[in-house]
Amino acid sequence: MGKIGGFKEYNRADESNLAVAERVSNYNEFTIPVPKDKLKEQGSRCMDCGIPFCHSGCPLGNLIPDFNDMVHQEEWQSALEILQSTNNFPEFTGRLCPAPCEKSCVLGIIKDPVSIENIEKSIIERGFAEGWIKPQPPKTRTGKTVAVIGSGPAGLAAAQQLNRAGHTVTVFERDNAIGGLLRYGIPNFKLEKGIIDRRVVVLEAEGITFKTNVNVGVNFSVEELNAFDSIVLCGGATERRSLPTKGIESKGVVQAMDFLTQQTKVLFGESIPDQVKATGKDVIVIGGGDTGSDCIGTSNRHGAKSVTNFEILPKPPVGRSESTPWPFWPLQLKTSSSHEEGCDRNWLINTKEFISNDKGELTGLKTVEVQWKMTPGQRPELIEKEGSEKIWPCDLALLALGFTGPEKTLSEQLGIETDFRSNYKAHNYQTNVPHIFTAGDMRRGQSLIVWAISEGREAAREVDLFLMGSTNLPTKGKGDLPSL
């Protein structure tokens, strides 16, 4: 694989970014691609390791050394075929995946790992540019109908796989456009929505039907839904976590997803009369994950007066922690492009009160510094640091605290059992109602886009097996062997 000794000859090369002042003036993607001649070198860095741990690091089981080798040989169309054999949407993962494959790359033990994510993105973008991405409708239809609820990455992957098996697939989306969290939860500067639209065009040409503004259980009855031969629930984990904190009801305390969704809708021409804006405000983002980072980037584009980020956990080490050695996912400080655009980051801090004026408008946050007491065999204990209370000026507080699980409407109306975390309970993606399956965050809890695609693919295989008694759809570790 790759060039013998290529990892010693070439250093890692990543995409660069436009200057901060230029990119925060708009909502466009701002990465600068690696030059074409350098991509061959990047593929050459794949070192033909004895056991490619990147396979185990990737939730999709992507054949990473294989497509790296094709890039090294400049066989781009072959690289695309290999990549698409395991990943339905490399254009999404190539932009948004945190790349667990790279964290488990064998080369990462001694040098910078292979730039797997960027190679993946380069392959799929080359495929679209060259016209190699073509609709692949099934040659025959089975006569079976399947409803997929939710058009995020899990729903889209399940739909495409089931359509390939010959079933007639209808995807229901309660919002006004296809994409789920990809559409309205991810800012445009990380994923321009034309990337979703061009893929939907391909899926429609393959024979998948999309219906928007359909909220099952609200304006579309479960009786109508049960008319389908099978159902795949891919609605995501959309119950947002809040805080049991005094003053949480103050005007100016806003859920992050509302803030991000409104901005994307306005960007594409929708009218949001009461849009939450960060312009000229002291903004505090509570939560240090990707959603918090997205709020920081959006606030900077709004023209916030200041942007501050709170995280209740300790500051991670700059390098890989000894507690998470290779090939595990590392405990390590992550600095996103949004952080680089301007943000005061604070760790080990807890919000005690949202302070408001006599009109109920947010004016500040009261915080306290904390530490975590770790006792073997017991849950970590949060301890407040005496005398560390502080008042922060704040006009807009954005809660980027993650999600607690899927909404209950569908599970209650369809009679689906849930687990102790309120996720939809399933065995081999099949719920307690035999013809209903579930995948993605709705089944496993809040997770990564790459996991959602994997879940959609695996669930589709189980649905096909249920409907037909056998299946030729691929599964991780089993290639294209039929199930007997």
Side-chain angles (χ1 to χ4, degrees):
M1 297 297 177
K3 180 179 180 180
I4 296 177
F7 64 94
K8 295 188 289 183
E9 185 174 344
Y10 305 119
N11 292 323
R12 178 183 170 107
D14 289 303
E15 290 185 322
S16 56
N17 296 330
L18 295 175
V20 170
E22 181 178 354
R23 71 191 195 225
V24 298
S25 65
N26 58 66
Y27 293 87
N28 300 329
E29 291 184 17
F30 50 79
T31 56
I32 302 172
V34 176
K36 289 183 179 180
D37 60 325
K38 295 295 182 182
L39 289 170
K40 172 181 170 68
E41 294 178 358
Q42 293 307 296
S44 302
R45 296 185 74 238
C46 196
M47 59 188 290
D48 193 17
C49 49
I51 299 176
F53 277 77
C54 56
H55 283 183
S56 60
C58 175
L60 282 164
N62 283 342
L63 305 175
I64 295 164
D66 301 73
F67 64 66
N68 282 341
D69 186 41
M70 291 298 100
V71 170
H72 159 65
Q73 296 186 43
E74 299 186 279
E75 295 287 345
W76 286 87
Q77 200 159 0
S78 294
L80 178 64
E81 292 174 1
I82 293 168
L83 177 57
Q84 290 195 127
S85 71
T86 56
N87 186 353
N88 298 69
F89 313 120
E91 65 270 34
F92 302 152
T93 53
R95 285 171 166 81
L96 303 170
C97 183
C101 54
E102 293 186 13
K103 304 305 185 291
S104 57
C105 172
V106 175
L107 181 56
I109 300 174
I110 57 171
K111 298 187 70 173
D112 289 335
V114 176
S115 52
I116 300 168
E117 184 180 22
N118 186 244
I119 291 173
E120 180 178 312
K121 176 183 174 182
S122 301
I123 292 170
I124 191 67
E125 290 304 318
R126 178 75 175 268
F128 274 106
E130 298 285 353
W132 296 334
I133 311 295
K134 298 182 184 298
Q136 300 178 36
K139 294 180 180 179
T140 59
R141 291 287 177 183
T142 63
K144 301 291 186 180
T145 59
V146 182
V148 176
I149 313 304
S151 67
L156 293 179
Q160 186 170 49
Q161 293 299 99
L162 287 163
N163 185 70
R164 286 172 174 173
H167 308 306
T168 300
V169 181
T170 303
V171 178
F172 295 97
E173 169 58 52
R174 68 180 176 182
D175 223 315
N176 60 357
I178 297 300
L181 189 66
L182 293 171
R183 173 74 61 176
Y184 291 126
I186 305 294
N188 215 55
F189 55 81
K190 287 176 65 175
L191 176 69
E192 292 185 4
K193 303 313 175 240
I195 302 300
I196 302 173
D197 295 336
R198 72 180 182 187
R199 177 57 73 174
V200 172
V201 169
V202 174
L203 297 176
E204 287 179 325
E206 291 179 340
I208 299 172
T209 299
F210 291 95
K211 293 185 179 295
T212 56
N213 296 308
V214 176
N215 193 352
V216 177
V218 178
N219 63 2
F220 188 87
S221 70
V222 295
E223 288 76 21
E224 292 176 275
L225 185 66
N226 276 317
F228 287 83
D229 294 311
S230 187
I231 302 163
V232 191
L233 304 177
C234 302
T238 51
E239 288 286 1
R240 300 160 191 179
R241 182 176 282 110
S242 187
L243 289 173
T245 304
K246 182 180 178 181
I248 190 73
E249 72 286 346
S250 301
K251 299 174 184 177
V253 181
V254 178
Q255 281 285 349
M257 203 52 61
D258 291 336
F259 177 68
L260 296 173
T261 297
Q262 287 181 7
Q263 176 53 50
T264 300
K265 290 190 173 185
V266 167
L267 188 63
F268 287 92
E270 291 192 45
S271 176
I272 309 288
D274 299 319
Q275 182 192 2
V276 177
K277 295 282 287 186
T279 310
K281 295 180 180 179
D282 290 309
V283 179
I284 294 180
V285 179
I286 303 176
D290 288 338
T291 301
S293 170
D294 294 342
C295 288
I296 292 165
T298 302
S299 296
N300 282 323
R301 283 160 178 75
H302 280 185
K305 180 181 178 182
S306 68
V307 183
T308 304
N309 190 201
F310 290 169
E311 172 58 69
I312 200 170
L313 296 173
K315 182 178 180 179
V318 175
R320 186 188 282 266
S321 168
E322 291 183 0
S323 65
T324 53
W326 178 92
F328 295 107
W329 178 259
L331 173 62
Q332 188 173 353
L333 179 65
K334 179 181 178 181
T335 300
S336 72
S337 59
S338 292
H339 296 136
E340 295 167 353
E341 292 164 3
C343 173
D344 175 24
R345 304 175 74 181
N346 299 266
W347 287 267
L348 289 173
I349 190 166
N350 188 27
T351 302
K352 295 290 289 182
E353 181 181 352
F354 295 94
I355 303 169
S356 59
N357 58 23
D358 55 6
K359 297 179 181 179
E361 298 166 336
L362 184 69
T363 60
L365 266 64
K366 180 188 289 186
T367 66
V368 62
E369 295 177 23
V370 298
Q371 60 184 11
W372 291 90
K373 181 180 179 181
M374 311 296 288
T375 304
Q378 298 182 23
R379 292 176 64 88
E381 182 182 357
L382 185 67
I383 301 175
E384 296 183 357
K385 185 177 178 181
E386 190 174 346
S388 65
E389 285 193 352
K390 179 178 178 179
I391 304 296
W392 304 70
C394 179
D395 308 297
L396 176 62
L398 299 172
L399 307 182
L401 304 169
F403 303 87
T404 60
E407 296 171 25
K408 308 299 184 295
T409 303
L410 277 177
S411 61
E412 291 173 353
Q413 294 195 30
L414 292 170
I416 294 171
E417 296 176 357
T418 57
D419 63 20
F420 70 97
R421 294 190 302 165
S422 79
N423 297 328
Y424 289 10
K425 190 183 295 184
H427 176 68
N428 289 336
Y429 303 90
Q430 187 176 34
T431 71
N432 59 295
V433 182
H435 73 294
I436 301 179
F437 295 73
T438 185
D441 291 3
M442 190 170 265
R443 188 191 77 91
R444 64 179 285 119
Q446 183 183 354
S447 191
L448 306 175
I449 286 174
V450 66
W451 265 116
I453 297 173
S454 173
E455 290 261 316
R457 289 174 62 88
E458 297 296 321
R461 188 175 191 275
E462 296 300 326
V463 172
D464 188 36
L465 185 60
F466 168 78
L467 291 174
M468 306 303 293
S470 63
T471 180
N472 287 318
L473 289 177
T475 183
K476 287 180 289 188
K478 297 180 181 178
D480 292 318
L481 293 176
S483 176
L484 301 178

